[in-house]
Amino acid sequence: MRLRIFTEPQEGASYDTLLRVAKATEECGFDAFFRSDHYQAIMGGSGLPGPTDSWITLGALARETSRIKLGTLVTAATFRLPGPLAISVAQVDQMSGGRVEFGLGTGWYDAEHTAYGIPFPSLKERFERLEEQLEIVTGLWGTLLGETYSFEGKHYRLADSPALPKPAQQGGPPVLIGGFGAKRTPQLAARWADEYNVPFHSLAETGEAFDRVRAACTEAGRTKPMIYSAAQTVCCGRDDAEVKRRADAIGNDVETLRASGLAGTPAELVDKIGQWGELGCERIYLQTLDLSDLEHIELIASEVLPQV
């Protein structure tokens, strides 16, 4: 099992804060540093000092780190055109020496679209755009040097693109698709994803979602292995008092976190992570909400990470 640190900087974090967390992630031995792709606070706070752009952040972190994987959980297809997005991600992959993993989703939070003047079409259209973006971005990355790429879809048209720059990783970064949808999401994952992620659902629900994607892979005749992963809020303490202190700091109660996230002592987390592993889960993204509490990351690294 690989453990990854996942941050929600739209809730309130400067680049300097994210840099400290990313460096702690690397120094403590975690596999990856991921961040959300949002422009407005979702959980009720002020969001101060304001949002940071995900790919600008990851480009900077690419030069400040050397080992950890870097990515988004997940980039909103509504925020960017597919051609410029392919350029940005390829550049960050080059800057990191090939450490980018590319998560892409439909976009879902309508309030941030309204706040920043971003069109927010129907769910049906967002899925259509997502599918076209997946084809375009991976098509641009996979086009051979010296050849051009063209695409004619319902929402996007590219003509004779030089398909540059190329990512450091041959063929492009691994693609991550997440979500809990019963039909379109499994189909898209089976076709495009190297990794399928279920965010913030119970063990039973996650197992059902994994099974839907496995069935979609079988139906599509896919033989390439799929990585299955989950995202869970983390709140770890050496004893109940420390767990409560950390839960209070993120505006949650311990029982809710124990029931719906990864909360408890290191031994409790090891046991719960083992249950995720029994589902076939290979990676867990630890949603770390108090980004000032680097001791939390250090505790998980020293007492949980070696046991999973």
Side-chain angles (χ1 to χ4, degrees):
M1 179 72 73
R2 295 186 181 275
L3 300 184
R4 300 179 151 194
I5 298 299
F6 168 50
T7 62
E8 301 269 14
Q10 77 279 351
E11 301 306 314
S14 66
Y15 171 73
D16 288 339
T17 298
L18 292 173
L19 176 59
R20 286 193 292 271
V21 175
K23 285 188 171 181
T25 298
E26 182 158 273
E27 291 164 2
C28 287
F30 290 95
D31 178 57
F33 173 91
F34 271 59
R35 59 157 293 163
S36 59
D37 188 27
H38 285 294
Y39 291 141
Q40 188 168 318
I42 298 168
M43 302 176 192
S46 68
L48 292 173
T52 51
D53 183 85
S54 61
W55 287 103
I56 291 175
T57 299
L58 294 174
L61 295 178
R63 309 303 291 178
E64 297 280 359
T65 58
S66 60
R67 180 189 60 79
I68 49 173
K69 303 291 186 181
L70 300 167
T72 53
L73 197 65
V74 293
T75 290
T78 48
F79 287 179
R80 300 165 182 87
L81 296 172
L85 177 59
I87 291 171
S88 296
V89 178
Q91 183 178 4
V92 177
D93 197 49
Q94 290 178 356
M95 293 167 71
S96 69
R99 292 185 284 123
V100 163
E101 296 184 0
F102 177 56
L104 187 65
T106 59
W108 63 269
Y109 188 39
D110 56 349
E112 66 187 338
H113 292 75
T114 301
Y116 287 96
I118 303 167
F120 188 68
S122 68
L123 181 60
K124 178 179 181 294
E125 182 176 330
R126 297 202 311 275
F127 265 108
E128 290 172 352
R129 288 180 177 272
L130 171 61
E131 186 164 11
E132 289 189 17
Q133 287 210 12
L134 286 164
E135 184 163 349
I136 292 165
V137 171
T138 57
L140 288 167
W141 291 340
T143 299
L144 296 177
L145 284 172
E147 297 184 1
T148 60
Y149 176 82
S150 297
F151 176 86
E152 188 77 44
K154 181 177 180 180
H155 301 286
Y156 304 104
R157 178 178 181 271
L158 286 75
D160 300 321
S161 171
L164 296 172
K166 297 302 183 194
Q169 298 176 77
Q170 186 69 32
V175 173
L176 182 156
I177 291 176
F180 194 69
K183 185 176 180 181
R184 292 295 300 276
T185 299
Q187 290 172 347
L188 290 175
R191 182 176 180 188
W192 299 108
D194 298 284
E195 177 180 347
Y196 170 64
N197 178 270
V198 178
F200 312 116
H201 281 77
S202 69
L203 272 166
E205 291 168 334
T206 300
E208 292 167 4
F210 285 176
D211 286 343
R212 287 195 293 268
V213 171
R214 291 185 181 108
C217 289
T218 299
E219 184 177 347
R222 173 176 169 142
T223 57
K224 180 181 179 180
M226 177 77 77
I227 294 170
Y228 293 89
S229 66
Q232 290 285 301
T233 305
V234 68
C235 184
C236 185
R238 292 177 178 84
D239 53 35
D240 287 347
E242 192 169 283
V243 175
K244 184 179 186 307
R245 175 173 63 79
R246 290 202 161 104
D248 290 344
I250 59 174
N252 275 295
D253 66 89
V254 173
E255 293 312 311
T256 298
L257 287 173
R258 275 197 163 104
S260 62
L262 283 172
T265 63
E268 287 180 278
L269 262 64
V270 169
D271 178 66
K272 291 179 181 180
I273 290 169
Q275 295 176 49
W276 292 99
E278 291 171 4
L279 296 177
C281 184
E282 299 175 56
R283 297 171 178 171
I284 293 185
Y285 294 76
L286 303 174
Q287 186 197 45
T288 307
L289 294 176
D290 185 356
L291 299 184
S292 66
D293 187 2
L294 298 184
E295 291 181 0
H296 191 200
I297 294 173
E298 293 165 0
L299 172 63
I300 298 168
S302 64
E303 306 214 9
V304 178
L305 190 57
Q307 300 187 64
V308 300

